[in-house]
Amino acid sequence: MIVVCERCQAKYQYDEARFEGRPAKRLRCSRCQAIFEVVNTRAFEAGPALGRRPPPHETVSRHADRRSRPAAPTPRASPALALPVDQKLSLAVIAGPDAGRMFVIEKPRVVLGREDVDLALDDPEVSRQHAAIEVAGDRVTVVDLGSANGTHVGDEPVEEALLENQSEFTIGASTLMLIVTPQ
């Protein structure tokens, strides 16, 4: 899950398993040092014993000082991830330091970045774990993982966006194109 510091808007990837069954945890933002609370959304799915279920648009983090601020939308639940049976998916790097490289998408969720990722790019403007490609049948989504320079589709920064055949997106100084071909 992605959590957001309400004070400075820094985004962090947070492993839900770290809740260890608790309904919430307090985190310190490494950028601005604010302490904020992160709600375990899986605990809400367990039932009403832990309190009200948050609406789908409610933020999953809030400051410990309880200041009222507009809530940022939480990522929506994704459909079951699975590669399509009759199509091959690839990513072509069409601009940037790795221009000309092709990557075959071999699993339903691949992480793009510089280090400890499924698809590594040699681009200093790309975060270590910058974005993910999530495939649910014929639905392909690019998801920003709280990167420093953001993920862009066209000129628009996105947290999540649907991709179609020959859709382009930019991470760091690299532009990639999704290519869908029959298998």
Side-chain angles (χ1 to χ4, degrees):
M1 74 190 279
I2 296 176
V3 296
V4 180
C5 172
E6 291 181 2
R7 183 174 293 163
C8 71
Q9 303 302 312
K11 297 176 189 170
Y12 301 96
Q13 182 73 25
Y14 190 76
D15 183 4
E16 291 180 64
R18 295 178 64 192
F19 282 106
E20 300 169 343
R22 292 180 289 213
K25 279 188 90 174
R26 295 177 106 185
L27 301 177
R28 180 180 301 274
C29 176
S30 60
R31 183 185 292 169
C32 73
Q33 303 302 311
I35 295 173
F36 60 97
E37 186 176 42
V38 179
V39 176
N40 181 354
T41 55
R42 287 188 182 167
F44 282 103
E45 293 169 2
L50 295 172
R52 69 175 181 84
R53 182 185 196 114
H57 64 276
E58 187 173 297
T59 185
V60 295
S61 65
R62 58 181 182 263
H63 268 291
D65 65 7
R66 309 280 192 242
R67 286 185 220 165
S68 61
R69 294 183 184 223
T74 57
R76 59 170 174 61
S78 315
L81 298 180
L83 290 174
V85 178
D86 58 346
Q87 295 176 328
K88 176 181 169 185
L89 305 176
S90 304
L91 288 176
V93 183
I94 59 173
D98 288 322
R101 286 186 72 189
M102 286 285 289
F103 298 99
V104 176
I105 297 175
E106 297 178 328
K107 41 188 217 177
R109 184 174 194 272
V110 293
V111 177
L112 294 85
R114 284 192 335 263
E115 298 175 15
D116 301 322
V117 294
D118 302 303
L119 304 179
L121 296 170
D122 188 23
D123 180 346
E125 293 185 35
V126 169
S127 295
R128 284 181 294 172
Q129 296 175 346
H130 196 107
I133 299 294
E134 295 181 348
V135 183
D138 60 355
R139 184 179 173 98
V140 181
T141 307
V142 62
V143 180
D144 187 82
L145 299 178
S147 64
N149 293 326
T151 300
H152 295 77
V153 174
D155 292 331
E156 296 297 316
V158 298
E159 288 186 24
E160 185 174 304
L162 283 175
L163 299 176
E164 297 177 353
N165 185 31
Q166 300 183 354
S167 290
E168 297 177 15
F169 63 96
T170 303
I171 60 174
S174 298
T175 301
L176 294 95
M177 176 188 287
L178 174 69
I179 299 174
V180 180
T181 54
Q183 193 125 247

